[in-house]
Amino acid sequence: MKIVAVCGMGIGTSVLLKMNAEKVLAKLGIDADVEAADMGVARGAAQTAEIVLTSEELAEELGDVPAEVIIIKNFFDLEEITEKLTAAVE
């Protein structure tokens, strides 16, 4: 499974989201490749990903992609990430 963590500029915030998603996936026993990306890279990466993790504002900017776009309100909240990823992979 390929997952893309997206932030608006640079990759600082997306790396944080990537690391937290990897923690959650490991805890859930789910094998996935999580990639951090800025918006420019994300549009292309989302074409081959199953899931995109991003903020509400960036989800709108990302546009129509074949991946399931999951909106994360707080990139630090492991409980929110766990809840939303669990729902997406079941």
Side-chain angles (χ1 to χ4, degrees), residues 1-5 25 30-37 41-42 44-53 67-68 85:
M1 171 181 299
K2 180 178 173 184
I3 298 174
V4 181
L25 291 163
I30 297 170
D31 185 35
D33 175 32
V34 185
E35 176 184 337
V41 172
Q47 299 302 315
T48 59
E50 283 80 23
I51 296 173
V52 173
L53 302 174
E68 178 179 355
L85 278 176

Side-chain angles (χ1 to χ4, degrees), residues 43-62:
R43 286 189 186 99
Q47 299 302 315
T48 59
E50 283 80 23
I51 296 173
V52 173
L53 302 174
T54 193
S55 67
E56 187 170 3
E57 300 80 21
L58 295 178
E60 293 171 11
E61 191 177 327
L62 189 60

Side-chain angles (χ1 to χ4, degrees), residues 63-74:
D64 188 27
V65 294
E68 178 179 355
V69 178
I70 298 175
I71 294 169
I72 304 294
K73 294 180 194 262
N74 182 347

Side-chain angles (χ1 to χ4, degrees), residues 71-83:
I71 294 169
I72 304 294
K73 294 180 194 262
N74 182 347
F75 289 9
F76 292 97
D77 187 349
L78 294 180
E79 193 172 306
E80 177 189 4
I81 296 168
T82 300
E83 178 184 312

